[in-house]
Amino acid sequence: MGQKVRPVGFRTGIMVDSLSNWYASKKDFSDFLLEDVKVRKFVKKKYRGAGISKILIARTREKVLVTIYAARVGVIIGKKGTEVEKLTKKLENLTNRAIEVKTMEVNRPELDPQLVAEAIGEDLAKRQGFRRAMKKHMESTMENGAKGIKVQLAGRLGGAEMARCEIGMLGSIPLSTLRAKVDYGFHEASS
């Protein structure tokens, strides 16, 4: 088995910023980390249809700033911002801290790796052929201006008895170059 390094962890601090920006002492660190996980799980579960790409969490002494990047921001904002207020109250109850929620729109969801991975996962859940789903989304991404895309599906593909791994690539992905702008999305699809 080869020694593989997770690309995001390898580039954190060089090309990629961390999704949680805060500093804590040893006694508070685990509590803050668990809070971040709870907030991310809650928001992802509640706004499943909003196409959430990533959730950034920054902490100051007074409050926690939660920035949600989504393809369909209107689902999170609601009519006249009422949904954001409800979300803020629920997150404050969950964490017992002052929370400020910001939303940012993902302009081109076809180029966002997390959203492409989720779209492939949805197609697989609808019982579409795995090769067709991969090819459709890879071509769509390339047509929208990506320089390259690599998709890897693993598991009992096509309902086979034996699990296997299928990889598809289009264009170029300079993984050996740390300074190259390579965006990653990881999605655990269950189907």
Side-chain angles (χ1 to χ4, degrees):
M1 193 169 151
Q3 285 87 32
K4 292 173 181 67
V5 177
R6 186 170 173 144
V8 174
F10 195 43
R11 287 169 177 78
T12 300
I14 299 170
M15 286 298 291
V16 183
D17 287 332
S18 178
L19 294 177
S20 296
N21 293 323
W22 44 267
Y23 179 80
S25 62
K26 278 187 180 181
K27 65 178 182 141
D28 294 332
F29 186 85
S30 59
D31 295 334
F32 287 175
L33 190 63
L34 283 173
E35 270 182 26
D36 286 5
V37 170
K38 283 182 192 173
V39 166
R40 285 195 176 95
K41 278 186 180 177
F42 180 80
V43 172
K44 277 274 202 184
K45 188 174 181 183
K46 185 164 175 55
Y47 298 105
R48 191 172 297 240
I52 294 175
S53 171
K54 61 184 172 184
I55 300 168
L56 301 181
I57 298 174
R59 293 175 185 271
T60 62
R61 288 178 192 247
E62 299 86 38
K63 63 183 174 184
V64 179
L65 176 64
V66 178
T67 309
I68 303 169
Y69 287 81
R72 293 177 287 283
V73 177
V75 175
I76 299 170
I77 295 173
K79 290 186 179 177
K80 298 180 184 175
T82 56
E83 197 66 33
V84 170
E85 292 169 10
K86 288 181 191 174
L87 175 65
T88 304
K89 291 276 186 249
K90 287 182 180 176
L91 290 178
E92 283 176 349
N93 291 340
L94 185 73
T95 61
N96 297 323
R97 297 183 196 285
I99 289 188
E100 182 184 336
V101 176
K102 284 187 179 179
T103 55
M104 302 290 281
E105 187 172 6
V106 176
N107 293 327
R108 298 168 71 187
E110 303 84 19
L111 295 180
D112 190 279
Q114 180 67 33
L115 298 178
V116 171
E118 287 178 8
I120 292 172
E122 288 169 11
D123 284 354
L124 293 176
K126 293 176 189 170
R127 313 292 274 157
Q128 191 178 43
F130 66 93
R131 282 196 188 95
R132 176 180 283 181
M134 273 175 51
K135 190 172 183 181
K136 178 178 80 172
H137 290 287
M138 285 170 45
E139 287 173 353
S140 167
T141 301
M142 291 301 287
E143 286 169 7
N144 280 290
K147 291 183 180 177
I149 181 171
K150 180 179 180 181
V151 176
Q152 179 175 332
L153 294 177
R156 293 181 52 188
L157 301 174
E161 288 281 324
M162 191 79 166
R164 66 176 196 268
C165 183
E166 191 79 22
I167 299 172
M169 263 180 73
L170 286 176
S172 69
I173 300 107
L175 293 179
S176 58
T177 311
L178 287 179
R179 289 263 174 217
K181 187 183 181 306
V182 182
D183 204 356
Y184 303 94
F186 297 95
H187 179 68
E188 290 83 30
S190 57
S191 58

